[in-house]
Amino acid sequence: MKKILLLLTSMAALYQVSLAQQKVRGPVSDQYDRNGLAIMLIEYGDGYDAEIGRYFESISKGTKFDITELPRTTVKSNYSRGAAAGTRVAGINTEVNSVDYGKEIVAWLYSRGADGRMNPSRVLERGHFNATDEDLARIESSKTGREALGDIGFQLINNNYVLFVDYWAIKKTTDNNETSWSVSADGYLYRINYSAETEQRIFDCWIYDDDSAETAEAKKRAWDALDIGVSKVLTVSTTQSYKQSDGGLKAAVNAAYHQLIFQLEKGNDDWMVKAAIYDRKPLRAKIGTKEGLKNGMRFDVYRYSEDRQGRIVSTRKGIVRATTIANNNRVVDKESSAPASEFYQIAGRTVSEGMILRQKNDLGMSIGLGYRAGEQSGLNVKIDY
């Protein structure tokens, strides 16, 4: 028993020390803004299209992303389901090169009509919804007025993405009278090509009420010539299998989508939620349902410091899990501060206010040791994955 206790104690101590000493190159950013997401489902013209489409439409896309509603939500593939990976990738490349998805995103954000007129209301709404207590305090102190919160929306246009979801393989098997479904899916993520120059070219196409008919027509021609586009960020893949009794094909389609999002978050830092610790007792941060926070989600905790050369570095101090999730799906106001979610620490050393939480999309383990007294005295070991 003593040997087991010594071994587990050593393991826990080594884990805690190694965790606390981990540093990353450069500071971990504490900047997190909402992202816009347009989702395109790949169709193959086979017998599965309608069923997959129904299941996919029923999937909850959550509240973390501002969903961009493009004119269409599906893409017809020129290849059959199950085609080789290279063939499917070539098909996506052809689609992206033939359709200016960046331009479609901008047109939707500005509610561009058939007459070429645009309206910034959606952009301003996204800016207001993205704003934090800190943004509100900064704007209030600058005397620019609450309307300036909407200007944040113009900065968020660069945070717009298109995700192509491809359920490229579907397999049905029966074993011992039990039917199972297996789904393989790829997710191709692209980001809008947006810069200050692009923004100015868009504003050059803006038709005002006092523009002459000739000026309006010239601006429509300028819009037609505008090329924005998107650039590839990354591709992820997953395979999910479910028995018919556990939900079958519908459950597999649902699980595959959420796994793709999980992997895309992990591979794209801009999608990883970050926030400063607001309070230590209890451990709280001002993020919640608006950021897609769920009970049990893991976050690394980082502290800023200087190395010997005077450079700012981030040292990982611990790992925490979300417990009580705040409903913050509202626009901030000066009458009441944004609610904060609560967390509990599962590994590392003491964390404090001002340290940075960063979403952690991977599996991990923490080991906790204790001793129970009384009738059932003995070693208490807790392993948290």
Side-chain angles (χ1 to χ4, degrees):
M1 184 66 175
K2 288 183 179 180
K3 289 183 178 180
I4 295 176
L5 178 60
L6 180 61
L7 175 61
L8 289 173
T9 303
S10 299
M11 288 173 61
L14 288 171
Y15 180 80
Q16 302 275 358
V17 171
S18 64
L19 173 65
Q21 291 179 344
Q22 289 184 13
K23 295 184 178 181
V24 296
R25 292 183 178 179
V28 170
S29 172
D30 62 349
Q31 181 65 35
Y32 174 75
D33 291 306
R34 292 179 63 78
N35 296 281
L37 183 63
I39 305 172
M40 308 296 293
L41 178 65
I42 306 298
E43 293 185 337
Y44 287 92
D46 60 12
Y48 283 120
D49 273 354
E51 190 173 8
I52 295 295
R54 289 196 307 272
Y55 296 156
F56 189 75
E57 187 176 352
S58 71
I59 295 174
S60 171
K61 306 307 189 294
T63 56
K64 181 174 181 177
F65 301 99
D66 291 321
I67 300 300
T68 301
E69 300 175 7
L70 298 186
R72 58 198 176 103
T73 57
T74 60
V75 174
K76 298 290 185 181
S77 174
N78 293 324
Y79 310 101
S80 60
R81 202 182 303 270
T87 301
R88 289 182 282 109
V89 170
I92 294 293
N93 290 337
T94 299
E95 172 68 19
V96 170
N97 291 330
S98 61
V99 178
D100 192 338
Y101 280 95
K103 194 172 179 179
E104 288 194 356
I105 290 171
V106 171
W108 185 84
L109 287 174
Y110 284 118
S111 303
R112 189 175 187 274
D115 61 357
R117 295 181 181 273
M118 294 184 275
N119 186 322
S121 58
R122 279 183 180 143
V123 175
L124 298 176
E125 287 172 5
R126 287 191 173 188
H128 279 281
F129 195 61
N130 183 81
T132 64
D133 285 344
E134 291 73 18
D135 293 324
L136 180 59
R138 173 175 50 81
I139 287 172
E140 292 282 348
S141 64
S142 67
K143 310 298 183 183
T144 55
R146 182 179 175 79
E147 292 75 15
L149 285 177
D151 292 344
I152 297 173
F154 294 102
Q155 303 168 24
L156 298 180
I157 296 178
N158 187 49
N159 289 13
N160 274 273
Y161 297 80
V162 181
L163 172 61
F164 298 90
V165 180
D166 181 9
Y167 293 98
W168 62 271
I170 300 172
K171 185 177 181 180
K172 178 182 178 182
T173 59
T174 302
D175 185 25
N176 294 325
N177 295 321
E178 180 71 64
T179 299
S180 296
W181 292 88
S182 177
V183 169
S184 294
D186 291 341
Y188 305 87
L189 186 66
Y190 289 78
R191 184 173 188 168
I192 188 172
N193 296 327
Y194 202 78
S195 63
E197 179 184 357
T198 304
E199 183 175 67
Q200 185 56 56
R201 292 176 64 195
I202 292 169
F203 290 158
D204 289 342
C205 301
W206 203 280
I207 299 175
Y208 299 96
D209 291 338
D210 57 355
D211 281 342
S212 65
E214 293 77 9
T215 299
E217 285 301 318
K219 289 182 175 181
K220 285 197 282 186
R221 289 194 297 271
W223 170 268
D224 292 339
L226 185 62
D227 182 15
I228 300 177
V230 292
S231 294
K232 189 173 183 179
V233 180
L234 74 158
T235 302
V236 295
S237 304
T238 186
T239 297
Q240 301 290 322
S241 300
Y242 279 80
K243 294 180 180 179
Q244 189 64 45
S245 57
D246 293 328
L249 180 58
K250 182 177 182 179
V253 168
N254 187 310
Y257 171 78
H258 288 295
Q259 182 61 27
L260 292 177
I261 294 294
F262 181 87
Q263 293 183 45
L264 289 168
E265 288 176 326
K266 185 177 179 180
N268 184 14
D269 185 70
D270 287 337
W271 281 21
M272 300 293 267
V273 177
K274 311 171 194 74
I277 294 177
Y278 172 71
D279 196 5
R280 185 168 172 266
K281 293 183 179 180
L283 189 63
R284 297 188 298 167
K286 289 190 175 184
I287 51 177
T289 51
K290 186 190 291 189
E291 291 76 25
L293 190 63
K294 295 181 177 62
N295 192 285
M297 282 181 62
R298 289 156 46 95
F299 287 76
D300 283 327
V301 183
Y302 289 93
R303 184 190 68 182
Y304 293 143
S305 60
E306 288 189 7
D307 62 14
R308 293 179 180 179
Q309 286 74 41
R311 296 171 299 192
I312 301 297
V313 296
S314 297
T315 303
R316 190 167 72 153
K317 302 298 291 183
I319 301 176
V320 300
R321 279 189 185 277
T323 53
T324 303
I325 311 303
N327 183 352
N328 62 344
N329 282 319
R330 62 177 177 81
V331 175
V332 296
D333 61 74
K334 61 181 180 181
E335 307 302 329
S336 60
S337 61
S341 297
E342 295 185 8
F343 302 78
Y344 75 93
Q345 189 168 359
I346 61 175
R349 298 183 176 179
T350 303
V351 300
S352 58
E353 294 90 342
M355 290 186 181
I356 303 302
L357 300 183
R358 181 181 182 276
Q359 185 178 343
K360 182 181 177 65
N361 277 21
D362 59 8
L363 296 177
M365 179 179 72
S366 67
I367 302 174
L369 297 174
Y371 190 83
R372 296 191 302 267
E375 292 183 6
Q376 297 182 343
S377 62
L379 178 65
N380 177 27
V381 180
K382 178 185 178 184
I383 301 178
D384 195 333
Y385 289 89

